[in-house]
Amino acid sequence: MSIRIRRDDCVGCGECVEACPGNLIKLDDEGLARMRRPRDCWGCTSCLKACPAGAVEFYLGADMGGTGATLGFSREGTISHWVVTCPDARRETIDVDSANANKY
Ligand code: SF4
Ligand code: SF4
């Protein structure tokens, strides 16, 4: 498992650095986020949820979305948008409302 950080979108806020429980992300000499040890990532998605710029993507395994598919994240109020982008550019969005989290 691993993530990809889109440097063009990164604003260098460091939120992902703080969020990663494995200390796997650092700010580099350009002040942008970079993975230290991609192979150590266990896919907790904390960095995706912490990034205010939507600059972090998570690679999905073949059993979850197909090799090369990615998972992105953005938030509007209590709504979390999880976006799966397939290798052929198809997109599926899953919306989760945290206001309903305790209703199930
Ligand atoms: S997915 Fe979790 S373990 Fe992997 S880099 Fe992000 S915060 Fe760290
Ligand atoms: S949280 Fe997002 S914008 Fe901030 S440093 Fe990390 S990747 Fe860049």
Side-chain angles (χ1 to χ4, degrees):
M1 294 183 184
S2 186
I3 59 160
R4 176 173 66 184
I5 298 166
R6 289 193 303 270
R7 293 176 67 80
D8 286 350
D9 294 327
C10 176
V11 297
C13 67
E15 293 293 331
C16 57
V17 176
E18 294 295 321
C20 180
N23 193 28
L24 300 179
I25 307 173
K26 66 175 182 178
L27 294 183
D28 64 14
D29 293 343
E30 296 175 57
L32 301 176
R34 184 181 293 274
M35 281 292 276
R36 295 177 196 270
R37 299 180 303 278
R39 296 171 83 176
D40 289 347
C41 171
W42 64 92
C44 72
T45 72
S46 294
C47 54
L48 274 78
K49 291 184 280 189
C51 179
V56 185
E57 290 177 313
F58 178 69
Y59 286 110
L60 295 170
D63 56 334
M64 298 172 74
T67 304
T70 59
L71 179 66
F73 178 86
S74 63
R75 183 180 285 123
E76 289 176 276
T78 61
I79 309 292
S80 298
H81 305 292
W82 294 92
V83 180
V84 177
T85 303
C86 299
D88 62 5
R90 277 183 304 120
R91 287 188 165 198
E92 296 281 345
T93 301
I94 302 164
D95 293 334
V96 179
D97 188 346
S98 62
N100 293 328
N102 292 325
K103 293 185 179 178
Y104 303 105

